[in-house]
Amino acid sequence: MQLVPDDAVIVVFGGNGDLARRKLLPAFWDLHLAGLMPERWVVIGTSRSDMPDEQYGDLARAGIEEFGRGVDDEDAFAEFASHLRYRGGGFGPDDPSRVRDAVAEAEAEIGGEPTRLFYLAVPPATFGPITEGIGTCGLDQRARVVFEKPFGTDPDSFAALDETVRSVLAEEQIYRIDHFLGKEALQNVLALRFANGMFEPVWNRQHIDHIQIDVPETIGIGSRAAFYEETGAMRDMVVSHLFQVLSVIALEPPVSLDSDPLMDEKRKVFESMAPVSPDDVVYGQYRSYRSSEGVAPDSDTETFAAMKVEIDNWRWSGVPIYLRTGKAMAEKRQTVTLAFKRPPRQMFVGRGVDERSRDHLTLEMAGDQGFAISFLAKRPGPRLELGPASMRFSYEESFFSRDGGDPVSRIDAYERLLHDALLGDRTLFTRADGIGRTWELVEPILRHRPEVHLYHDGSWGPDAADALIAPRGWHLPEDHAH
Ligand code: BG6
């Protein structure tokens, strides 16, 4: 299998923005250290404001030190920084010249016909004009274009963007990224389900009572007010990351692990879902949000969303699926819980078990990724009393600590997906038909925005979210788990 991509010129739109500093530049550094960058490559960061190339190197270093693995080898960093360029001045259908010239210079330096990889780390409204600019100046040849999420902001803008993008690029040039799909623990769901005999037989409505996909975050919106005020939790997290996670959890066995069969199965999951009713959605906003810099003092943007959805097919009919995510919450977790049905007869109630106790399978997609099975076990001692017990698979324990931290196996979600894009592998990217359907699913909520409840910073969100899941309870925090 090819690991070192062909030579490439990489252009990052939004090159000095939050995503570039937090994820993309640290990702290039990690890929460089792991020997997974092409033999010859150049990264050109671009945005409206200008800065010299050396300053871009400093910006990359600051991002790597704050959000990545840091710099402990100065020579290696100097070599890395020599691949970085920066061009300001904006870009669009009318004025693509500075970026076009920078690409031409980089290509002359590299020689041959390198891949052109464009990464659009910019607000969704600029995707269309930038794509047109790429077309206008002929940069679409040999090009792959990575679009950050959200791809569109509602069904109409999705359709318009899709049309513009397709007027410039062929489908195999389009990489719609959702970095949750690059997370090891989520990719592992396919292995868990389809490489073992143990899990798939119980992965259905006969055995599962309900599913929770829970992604609380402790961070607030930081310096992202401009993006977040327009986007909100629903578009930023739910219709993208949480729905994509759901599609992997719920899909039917694909005929093969190739890109199209997998994407077909994900699309069928979305097709089997009914549009979400505003009555099944709770929106929240953390109390200090409106005093954040750049946020309107009367902002109604939701920083929290919880909802109930169902998949009406043979496997999942009648199994409620609860999604929850929010900023400024009590813990950072990315957890999927499949809660098993209780046995038909409750013999142990009163013996350390309440009638809400049940066994679970829990996937962790953040921190020490892996999964756990939690169940009830007999406590040691003379009495027949039960207590909670669990068995856990951790990537750290089972793989990383054994291979001594091999940098190739440690690449994170963004690194994996950037590397895939450089290799031309779209398996872990999303397809337009799937995304189009997700916008249809949330259209009722976009039209009839649910009321926004305030919640305390550092809490688990508004009480209304507990009412949404009742009589069940949120699995997190674990000490309240049922
Ligand atoms: C991004 C969202 O896509 O994902 C952010 O825009 C969110 O709001 C982030 O914080 C979560 O990323 P991670 O690295 O914690 O999976």
Side-chain angles (χ1 to χ4, degrees), residues 23 149 179 183 217 224 236 241 327 332 334:
K23 303 275 193 190
K149 43 119 281 248
H179 78 274
K183 292 185 185 267
E217 299 186 275
R224 300 169 76 210
D236 183 37
H241 300 323
K327 301 281 184 211
K332 175 180 169 75
Q334 298 182 342

Side-chain angles (χ1 to χ4, degrees), residues 28-43:
F28 290 129
W29 171 234
D30 282 358
L31 290 174
H32 178 69
L33 292 179
L36 295 176
M37 286 302 274
E39 204 176 309
R40 281 177 288 270
W41 60 278
V42 166
V43 165

Side-chain angles (χ1 to χ4, degrees), residues 37-166:
M37 286 302 274
E39 204 176 309
R40 281 177 288 270
W41 60 278
V42 166
V43 165
I44 305 165
T46 179
S47 76
R48 258 179 242 126
S49 54
D50 225 333
M51 72 174 96
D53 290 351
E54 309 77 66
Q55 199 178 324
Y56 197 47
D58 296 344
L59 184 140
R61 176 194 278 269
I64 289 164
E65 278 169 354
E66 188 173 351
F67 306 110
R69 72 180 56 187
V71 173
D72 49 18
D73 179 342
E74 288 304 329
D75 292 342
F77 186 79
E79 209 278 305
F80 171 78
S82 72
H83 295 267
L84 306 182
R85 315 272 183 278
Y86 189 85
R87 289 294 177 278
F91 182 84
D94 307 325
D95 183 20
S97 54
R98 299 199 70 193
V99 170
R100 186 197 54 208
D101 294 349
V103 170
E105 272 168 43
E107 290 188 348
E109 198 181 315
I110 288 176
E113 298 205 318
T115 308
R116 294 169 177 160
L117 184 72
F118 296 96
Y119 198 114
L120 273 57
V122 285
T126 56
F127 288 175
I130 291 180
T131 311
E132 284 174 332
I134 291 173
T136 311
C137 57
L139 287 174
D140 54 315
Q141 305 303 314
R142 289 183 268 124
R144 298 173 194 152
V145 184
V146 184
F147 294 90
E148 252 306 323
K149 43 119 281 248
F151 193 85
T153 51
D154 57 29
D156 292 345
S157 63
F158 163 78
L161 176 61
D162 192 44
E163 204 184 312
T164 307
V165 166
R166 283 169 194 275

